[in-house]
Amino acid sequence: MEADSLSTEIILIHPHQTLGKVKLDWMPQPGNYLEFYGQTYTVLERRHRYQLKTGRYQLHQIALYVQCATRPDEKSWIDGRWVIGDASCSYNACSEMIRCAVNPDGPCKSCNFYEKS
């Protein structure tokens, strides 16, 4: 069974609830954004569920654990991936999920703590 034909369950972390199931044509990684019924979510975790068939385990379903989010306006390309915020700041977390410790909600442009790294 191919990944693009697998059922993907979308689970909201807080409050913990299943939002629904969908078949995706891409493999979301933690930190990716997902549009689902007009709402934007950040993928926090991806789990694979396997099923035993004819003596072998086969990938049966994918579960995505998400939280509500808004797409960040500021992104930087670092080492082949997008990170939130201005990566030239020494406080930037270089993460797809969090901008930095001192100003996690941003924006980077008007941040008083900005330090060129």
Side-chain angles (χ1 to χ4, degrees):
M1 187 177 276
E2 293 182 23
D4 62 356
S5 65
L6 288 175
S7 175
T8 303
E9 184 177 12
I10 312 296
I11 302 168
L12 187 62
I13 291 288
H14 187 73
H16 187 72
Q17 64 180 341
T18 298
L19 298 175
K21 293 184 180 181
V22 66
K23 291 190 178 191
L24 299 175
D25 60 352
W26 61 293
M27 188 65 72
Q29 300 293 324
N32 289 145
Y33 291 94
L34 174 73
E35 296 286 331
F36 190 69
Y37 288 113
Q39 177 67 41
T40 302
Y41 299 95
T42 301
V43 176
L44 300 176
E45 185 176 343
R46 183 182 74 205
R47 293 185 186 170
H48 295 167
R49 296 181 178 159
Y50 294 88
Q51 187 173 36
L52 184 63
K53 283 188 178 180
T54 61
R56 297 180 64 172
Y57 283 101
Q58 295 178 349
L59 185 58
H60 173 69
Q61 186 180 34
I62 297 171
L64 295 178
Y65 291 84
V66 300
Q67 73 179 10
C68 292
T70 56
R71 287 189 185 262
D73 294 333
E74 299 171 309
K75 295 188 287 186
S76 300
W77 184 256
I78 270 194
D79 298 328
R81 62 191 172 94
W82 288 103
V83 298
I84 298 175
D86 184 351
S88 67
C89 178
S90 59
Y91 291 111
N92 189 284
C94 296
S95 167
E96 299 93 346
M97 293 197 231
I98 187 168
R99 180 185 314 267
C100 70
V102 295
N103 189 14
D105 296 327
C108 293
K109 286 181 181 177
S110 59
C111 180
N112 295 332
F113 299 101
Y114 177 82
E115 269 184 33
K116 184 96 170 146
S117 57

